Amino acid sequence: MILNRTPHPIRVYEWDRQDGNDDLGLGLKSVIDPEPEPARLATIELGTQADGIELVEFGHRVDLPRPQDGVRHVVSLVVALALAPRRSDLLVPYSEVRNSTGTVIGCRALAQPV
């Protein structure tokens, strides 16, 4: 089972789907609807430096269940990269599909960051 832990639907298209087309249905293989709670990284504010730059620690998971056999989670790339050393159940959209204005409307595959 694949659960979508991003805040928006994930459209997965055929590999030969060309960019630059606004038809969302062209070459569409599947849509993975989002779960109610997206996975986000928590932050810990460590203070402000003398030059006004905030020091922030990233990498703590939020709203992501513990790994379960047979369950994989689609998350943002930043979440996957932060947790990849500890989690093998995370997937990210790969090979983005873009419409005529360059906006990402989907992907051609899901990938597991390592």
Side-chain angles (χ1 to χ4, degrees):
M1 174 187 332
I2 296 177
L3 300 176
N4 178 359
R5 299 289 178 174
T6 73
H8 52 273
I10 301 291
R11 293 180 189 86
V12 182
Y13 289 94
E14 299 288 343
W15 270 103
D16 60 356
R17 162 68 194 242
Q18 297 294 313
D19 289 334
N21 191 310
D22 292 326
D23 181 357
L24 295 179
L26 181 65
L28 183 64
K29 291 182 359 183
S30 64
V31 177
I32 308 168
D33 290 321
E35 295 297 309
E37 292 292 326
R40 302 194 188 278
L41 291 182
T43 58
I44 299 173
E45 295 180 9
L46 302 175
T48 306
Q49 298 182 107
D51 59 3
I53 303 295
E54 294 291 327
L55 293 176
V56 180
E57 183 177 320
F58 292 91
H60 305 277
R61 71 177 172 86
V62 174
D63 298 324
L64 189 60
R66 293 181 186 275
Q68 295 177 303
D69 287 341
V71 178
R72 302 185 89 182
H73 303 275
V74 180
V75 296
S76 69
L77 182 58
V78 68
V79 170
L81 291 175
L83 300 177
R86 300 181 302 257
R87 301 278 302 244
S88 62
D89 61 333
L90 304 180
L91 303 171
V92 296
Y94 179 68
S95 187
E96 292 87 0
V97 175
R98 297 178 182 274
N99 67 11
S100 63
T101 62
T103 301
V104 174
I105 59 170
C107 62
R108 293 178 182 88
L110 298 174
Q112 179 184 339
V114 291

